[in-house]
Amino acid sequence: MTIQWFPGHMAKARREVTENLKLVDIIFELIDARLPLSSRNPMLDEVVHQKTRLLILNKMDMADDTQTKKWIAYFESKGHPTVAINSLEGKGLQTVFKASKELLKPKWDRMKERGIKPRAIRAMIVGIPNVGKSTLINRFAKKNIAKTGNTPGVTKRQQWIKVEKEIELLDTPGILWPKFEDQEIGYKLALTGAIKDAVINMEDLAIYGLRFLESHYPRRMEERYKVTTVSEDLVETFDHIGKLRRCYGPGGEVDYDQVAELIVRDIRNQQLGKLTFDFVNEYE
Ligand SMILES: Nc1nc2c(ncn2[C@@H]2O[C@H](COP(=O)(O)OP(=O)(O)OP(=O)(O)O)[C@@H](O)[C@H]2O)c(=O)[nH]1
């Protein structure tokens, strides 16, 4: 699903998240592990206020492991509990449960002290499009299909999915918009498939991708494309890659559109390995 984020849609999305916040004890902020800053919603801090929150770096199978570890340490140092998971294969889900229980223990202890019978922890997922919200919900749901049904006092279309003995998840995630303020973030989101190709110029994106590889993963670029630097004269680099990978037009000349698509596809399909596009040391 690709959403056009007009002001009206943004206001509606924000309103929905704010409404659902009242129903839950904890927010699972789903982030793309390849883009730990660029895939966060710029206003979520404001929307969430004091609500307990767990940062979940999803798609860890596609991200650079060294960077993922650094990002977890970075967020934790800023006071944000953080875990990394792979929703597609259901890896790391136990860390989500464990962290949720730990984070809510003080609240639950207080409830017990006041004689309130412990109930399940209620959670909701919030994240930008394509970050893996539905995949994670399905993963949770399949493990423990029993839906708990409508809870009194809760809008009837909302269902709670029992994901674990003591945890329930709202079956509708909160979808918020990504950051679009700068072009670089746009390119990063496009390289991970979070933005539709139609709104992006493929050649610009491929050039951004190559320059990113040159500065952050030069050895992998060399292995794949047999170049160590991106030439000032981009035609030279495109010609080189085009010949290497046989991207020819009908007349036998290098087809630059094909080259651009190939580079973007290679990056997205992990032909250059596991990549993280936000480098933690650039933000520290
Ligand atoms: N490799 C990998 N792919 C994942 C993971 N989680 C989700 N995906 C893939 O990411 C894509 C988007 O996942 P969705 O679950 O549809 O994302 P969403 O956040 O619900 O997207 P919207 O409905 O657009 O808001 C799908 O192709 C998933 O298979 C993961 O942990 N690892």
Side-chain angles (χ1 to χ4, degrees):
M1 173 175 41
T2 304
I3 303 164
Q4 291 291 328
W5 292 103
F6 298 114
H9 293 131
M10 289 159 100
K12 183 165 176 270
R14 187 188 163 130
R15 218 164 33 239
E16 279 175 8
V17 170
T18 309
E19 271 305 302
N20 287 340
L21 266 185
K22 295 177 195 149
L23 309 174
V24 301
D25 306 296
I26 184 166
I27 302 285
F28 292 158
E29 182 185 350
L30 211 57
I31 301 171
D32 190 319
R34 298 168 294 175
L35 301 169
L37 288 187
S38 305
S39 68
R40 296 186 77 188
N41 170 268
M43 272 166 82
L44 193 63
D45 280 347
E46 214 181 285
V47 175
V48 167
H49 287 299
Q50 300 299 319
K51 186 73 72 177
T52 305
R53 181 171 20 159
L54 179 65
L55 264 46
I56 302 180
L57 300 178
N58 189 36
K59 308 196 187 184
M60 70 169 178
D61 55 305
M62 299 175 95
D64 178 337
D65 293 324
T66 311
Q67 283 295 316
T68 301
K69 279 197 198 100
K70 287 186 181 176
W71 276 113
I72 292 175
Y74 170 89
F75 286 128
E76 299 256 349
S77 76
K78 303 260 178 236
H80 292 302
T82 308
V83 297
I85 66 166
N86 165 359
S87 300
L88 207 55
E89 291 171 18
K91 290 193 178 140
L93 304 190
Q94 288 304 326
T95 60
V96 174
F97 304 147
K98 190 164 166 270
S100 304
K101 286 177 194 167
E102 271 170 25
L103 285 169
L104 288 163
K105 189 167 183 305
K107 185 174 169 184
W108 257 239
D109 285 347
R110 278 198 304 277
M111 277 160 68
K112 263 187 231 157
E113 272 165 27
R114 280 189 268 134
I116 301 169
K117 199 168 153 256
R119 57 167 175 78
I121 290 170
R122 291 189 188 136
M124 74 182 278
I125 294 174
V126 175
I128 68 166
N130 205 51
V131 75
K133 298 178 295 298
S134 310
T135 308
L136 182 57
I137 291 174
N138 288 336
R139 178 53 64 177
F140 278 145
K142 253 178 238 151
K143 275 197 100 187
N144 257 311
I145 288 165
K147 284 196 173 181
T148 55
N150 292 335
T151 307
V154 172
T155 321
K156 60 179 174 317
R157 71 188 167 82
Q158 268 142 354
Q159 299 262 313
W160 295 95
I161 299 164
K162 200 168 173 64
V163 297
E164 211 243 8
K165 208 169 89 215
E166 294 159 41
I167 303 178
E168 291 176 1
L169 181 73
L170 203 58
D171 71 346
T172 36
I175 308 174
L176 290 173
W177 56 95
K179 305 182 183 189
F180 345 78
E181 62 262 28
D182 92 43
Q183 200 177 33
E184 185 160 359
I185 293 179
Y187 285 140
K188 290 179 178 183
L189 288 166
L191 282 177
T192 58
I195 288 183
K196 243 185 164 180
D197 284 348
V199 301
I200 293 282
N201 177 307
M202 266 298 163
E203 268 189 23
D204 288 349
L205 185 58
I207 294 163
Y208 178 83
L210 279 181
R211 292 234 156 95
F212 176 80
L213 292 170
E214 179 188 31
S215 55
H216 294 84
Y217 296 97
R219 254 180 279 143
R220 299 203 204 166
M221 182 170 83
E222 190 182 357
E223 267 170 41
R224 184 82 185 160
Y225 301 127
K226 316 291 176 220
V227 282
T228 46
T229 51
V230 181
S231 170
E232 275 299 305
D233 178 8
L234 287 161
V235 171
E236 206 178 290
T237 305
F238 267 53
D239 269 336
H240 168 83
I241 297 176
K243 283 178 192 154
L244 183 78
R245 302 291 303 281
R246 313 191 64 73
C247 301
Y248 296 121
E253 73 294 351
V254 169
D255 179 338
Y256 299 126
D257 289 341
Q258 273 188 51
V259 178
E261 276 184 30
L262 173 115
I263 294 166
V264 171
R265 210 172 44 236
D266 277 357
I267 293 174
R268 284 186 184 155
N269 296 343
Q270 292 187 273
Q271 297 301 329
L272 289 121
K274 294 163 75 155
L275 301 174
T276 295
F277 298 97
D278 290 336
F279 258 51
V280 76
N281 44 323
E282 287 164 18
Y283 300 94
E284 273 169 336

